C-alpha cells in the first residue's frame, strides 16, 4: 500500500444535495418488515458507516440500495436521480460498486480474471489498464498473486480482491459490507487504511461494519441501526463518545 502520493483529505461538505439519499425506506423479506422507514444521506467525498448488531438491517440496507431488494415504500436517489426501482445490473453503470459480505470472489478464477470481471461492462480499454494499476498500487499483494486462483488466497487477500473488483467498475459510490469480517486485527487495520486511501482518491464510501471502533475511527458520519430503524446518527466522533453507543458496541 502506498500513501505518499495521496493528497491530504479534507472534511467533505454536507451542504447541498447528497450523492445518495434514502427517504423513508421500508423493505421486506416475505412478511418480515426488515427496514422500517429509514432515511440516510451520504454526501460526495464522505465515508459514512452503518453500525448495528446482527439482524439490525445493515446488509438489507445495502441490498436495497444496490437494487437486489426493492422497497415497498420510500425513495432512493443517486445524485438527484430516482433509482428506487432500477434493476441491480444497471447500478454499476450509474456509479455504484459493491464489495459484498463474505467477499464472493470467483474462487476458480485467477486474481486478474476476477478483476476483469469487475470491469466487464466497461468499453474504455485505456481506462481499464489505468484502473488495474490503481488496484495493484492499493493492494500490492494482488499484483504478486495476479495469476493465482482466488480461492487459494488468504481471507485478507480475498477481501482485498473483492474491494479491487468493485473498484474496477470505477464507482462514484463504493458500498462495503463487513470488510473486517473474519480477519486478524492487523489485517483489519490494513483494510481500513486502504479504504481511507480509496476515499482520498475521490470515491465516496458507505461501509457496513460490526467493528464500531474501527468504523467510527475512519468515518465522517455514522448511523446506528436497531431492528430495522435508525436509533442514532451524527458525526463519527460524537457517536464514539455517545454513552449508549459505547455501551452497546464499544464495551463501555
Amino acid at each position: 500500500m502506498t500513501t505518499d502520493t495521496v493528497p491530504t483529505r479534507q472534511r467533505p461538505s454536507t451542504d447541498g444535495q447528497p450523492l445518495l439519499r434514502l427517504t423513508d425506506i421500508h423493505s421486506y423479506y416475505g412478511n418480515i418488515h426488515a427496514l422500517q422507514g429509514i432515511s440516510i444521506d451520504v454526501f460526495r467525498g464522505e465515508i459514512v458507516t452503518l453500525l448495528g448488531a446482527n439482524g439490525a438491517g445493515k446488509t438489507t440496507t445495502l441490498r436495497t440500495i444496490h437494487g437486489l431488494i426493492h422497497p415497498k415504500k420510500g425513495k432512493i436517489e443517486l445524485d438527484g436521480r430516482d433509482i428506487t426501482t432500477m434493476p441491480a445490473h444497471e447500478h454499476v453503470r450509474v456509479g455504484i460498486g459493491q464489495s459484498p459480505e463474505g467477499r464472493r470472489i470467483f474462487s476458480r478464477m485467477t486474481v486478474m480474471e476476477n478483476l476483469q470481471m469487475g470491469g466487464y461492462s466497461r468499453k474504455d480499454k485505456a481506462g481499464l489498464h489505468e484502473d488495474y494499476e490503481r488496484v495493484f498500487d492499493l493492494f500490492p499483494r494482488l499484483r504478486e498473486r495476479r495469476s493465482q486462483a482466488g480461492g487459494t488466497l488468504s481471507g485478507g487477500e480475498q477481501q482485498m480482491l473483492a474491494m479491487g473488483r468493485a473498484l474496477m467498475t470505477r464507482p462514484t459510490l463504493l458500498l462495503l459490507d463487513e470488510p473486517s469480517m473474519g480477519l486478524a486485527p492487523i489485517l483489519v487495520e490494513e483494510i481500513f487504511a486502504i479504504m481511507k486511501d480509496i476515499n482520498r482518491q475521490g470515491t465516496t464510501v458507505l461501509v457496513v461494519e460490526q467493528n464500531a471502533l474501527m468504523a467510527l475511527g475512519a468515518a465522517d458520519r455514522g448511523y446506528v441501526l436497531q431492528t430495522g430503524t435508525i436509533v442514532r446518527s451524527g458525526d463519527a466522533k460524537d457517536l464514539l463518545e455517545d454513552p449508549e453507543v459505547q455501551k452497546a458496541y464499544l464495551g463501555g
Side-chain angles (χ1 to χ4, degrees):
M1 178 184 63
T2 59
T3 59
D4 53 334
T5 60
V6 178
T8 302
R9 183 176 184 272
Q10 301 296 321
R11 176 67 185 263
S13 172
T14 54
D15 295 330
Q17 177 178 279
L19 175 63
L20 176 73
R21 168 162 281 174
L22 278 64
T23 306
D24 193 28
I25 293 294
H26 293 257
S27 292
Y28 289 76
Y29 288 115
N31 293 323
I32 299 173
H33 195 177
L35 297 181
Q36 303 174 24
I38 69 168
S39 296
I40 292 171
D41 285 343
V42 179
F43 290 85
R44 193 177 297 275
E46 282 193 304
I47 299 175
V48 173
T49 186
L50 300 181
L51 304 176
N54 284 334
K58 305 185 304 297
T59 293
T60 302
T61 301
L62 292 195
R63 288 174 62 84
T64 301
I65 294 168
H66 207 38
L68 298 170
I69 300 171
H70 291 309
K72 290 191 175 181
K73 181 183 177 184
K75 188 175 184 180
I76 305 171
E77 297 169 275
L78 183 71
D79 212 8
R81 177 181 180 180
D82 189 342
I83 62 168
T84 311
T85 59
M86 179 180 286
H89 68 271
E90 293 186 13
H91 281 59
V92 170
R93 295 187 177 90
V94 298
I96 300 176
Q98 182 173 18
S99 174
E101 182 181 10
R103 293 115 195 186
R104 298 183 189 176
I105 62 166
F106 299 103
S107 61
R108 295 186 179 181
M109 293 184 177
T110 66
V111 166
M112 194 65 192
E113 288 168 342
N114 270 271
L115 297 179
Q116 289 168 344
M117 289 298 293
Y120 81 97
S121 64
R122 290 175 53 181
K123 308 300 182 185
D124 55 325
K125 300 302 181 184
L128 279 171
H129 178 75
E130 179 182 318
D131 285 341
Y132 290 136
E133 289 304 310
R134 177 194 182 198
V135 169
F136 289 143
D137 286 344
L138 285 163
F139 306 104
R141 272 179 276 183
L142 296 185
R143 187 190 299 274
E144 297 169 5
R145 292 157 174 73
R146 59 192 300 164
S147 300
Q148 189 172 325
T152 66
L153 301 177
S154 69
E157 290 164 350
Q158 289 187 15
Q159 181 60 56
M160 293 173 188
L161 181 55
M163 292 170 68
R165 184 182 59 189
L167 288 175
M168 287 306 302
T169 68
R170 194 170 279 189
T172 304
L173 173 67
L174 178 61
L175 309 179
L176 298 178
D177 196 351
E178 301 286 6
S180 76
M181 181 179 290
L183 301 185
I186 191 169
L187 285 175
V188 172
E189 291 182 7
E190 185 173 356
I191 290 294
F192 272 86
I194 294 169
M195 180 190 75
K196 290 190 283 187
D197 280 355
I198 290 168
N199 176 255
R200 278 191 289 258
Q201 291 177 0
T203 303
T204 303
V205 178
L206 176 60
V207 56
V208 157
E209 183 54 61
Q210 287 195 49
N211 189 329
L213 184 62
M214 289 298 299
L216 290 172
D220 297 294
R221 293 186 303 110
Y223 294 85
V224 180
L225 283 169
Q226 183 176 310
T227 58
T229 61
I230 293 172
V231 295
R232 288 283 193 284
S233 66
D235 284 355
K237 290 181 180 179
D238 293 338
L239 290 175
L240 271 172
E241 297 172 0
D242 186 303
E244 291 299 318
V245 173
Q246 291 181 352
K247 180 180 178 180
Y249 303 106
L250 301 175

